[in-house]
Amino acid sequence: MSHSIIKSALKPLILIATLFAFAVTTYTAATSADASSSDQSYSKVYKEAKKHLGARYVYGAIGPTNFDCSGFTKFVYKKSIKKSIPRTAQAQYNGTKKVSKSNIKKGDLVYFGGSKHSISHVGMYIGNGRMIDSQNRGVVTENVYSPWWHVVGFSRPATLSYDD
């Protein structure tokens, strides 16, 4: 087969591949624009979380009236900004963007346990060293740095806008 025959046969395939790449790029850009233009504000997430203060802690519960720690964070993100995050505290840590302590923002998740590979609790950071979480006293606000918690990491499940 000569090079000119091969080139002629490849031209339609190259055109199709180029058009496909353009379509994927356009769709991805439009989808990203839609996601960023939707209201993914911290105030929506916090407002939803606050609605559940006092709800009972029940191991394995995912809401809307009883929660365990990761069931609470999963519920709040899904209900407030339609963001789906993994079910367990360890999976939430593994499946979301890590941030450093110095870069933590309101709405980020704070993880506790023996290590980054042995996470047993998660709460949502609300600023000023405090979090809202579901634990044995139910859904409460409390200090992130308490004698009974060992912080092992932070993550950002969504890029939120801030009104303040």
Side-chain angles (χ1 to χ4, degrees):
M1 226 182 224
S2 75
H3 287 291
S4 62
I5 294 173
I6 293 172
K7 283 183 181 179
S8 296
L10 287 178
K11 279 183 182 179
L13 293 175
I14 292 170
L15 178 61
I16 290 169
T18 303
L19 290 172
F20 178 77
F22 175 78
V24 168
T25 303
T26 303
Y27 174 77
T28 303
T31 304
S32 296
D34 289 348
S36 63
S37 67
S38 66
D39 186 15
Q40 290 198 320
S41 68
Y42 168 70
S43 62
K44 284 182 87 171
V45 175
Y46 181 59
K47 183 178 177 182
E48 183 62 38
K50 275 193 349 181
K51 283 183 192 176
H52 303 284
L53 284 169
R56 262 182 2 120
Y57 174 89
V58 175
Y59 180 79
I62 58 172
T65 56
N66 301 317
F67 301 94
D68 70 6
C69 64
S70 56
F72 176 71
T73 51
K74 180 175 179 59
F75 181 89
V76 165
Y77 263 90
K78 185 67 171 175
K79 183 85 170 163
S80 63
I81 62 169
K82 312 237 181 310
K83 173 69 177 178
S84 183
I85 61 175
R87 170 63 185 97
T88 66
Q90 186 70 59
Q92 288 176 9
Y93 178 79
N94 294 345
T96 54
K97 181 184 175 189
K98 310 308 171 284
V99 293
S100 65
K101 179 181 176 180
S102 61
N103 288 322
I104 193 165
K105 292 183 176 181
K106 293 188 267 184
D108 288 348
L109 300 181
V110 184
Y111 300 92
F112 306 86
S115 74
K116 292 177 182 182
H117 305 288
S118 178
I119 292 172
S120 56
H121 188 67
V122 61
M124 186 181 81
Y125 188 70
I126 59 172
N128 299 319
R130 300 194 47 83
M131 68 177 171
I132 185 168
D133 65 328
S134 181
Q135 41 103 323
N136 62 357
R137 294 181 292 133
V139 177
V140 297
T141 58
E142 63 178 325
N143 290 326
V144 169
Y145 297 97
S146 299
W148 50 88
W149 295 126
H150 176 248
V151 176
V152 296
F154 309 91
S155 78
R156 183 161 298 144
T159 301
L160 302 174
S161 61
Y162 300 91
D163 301 331
D164 52 349

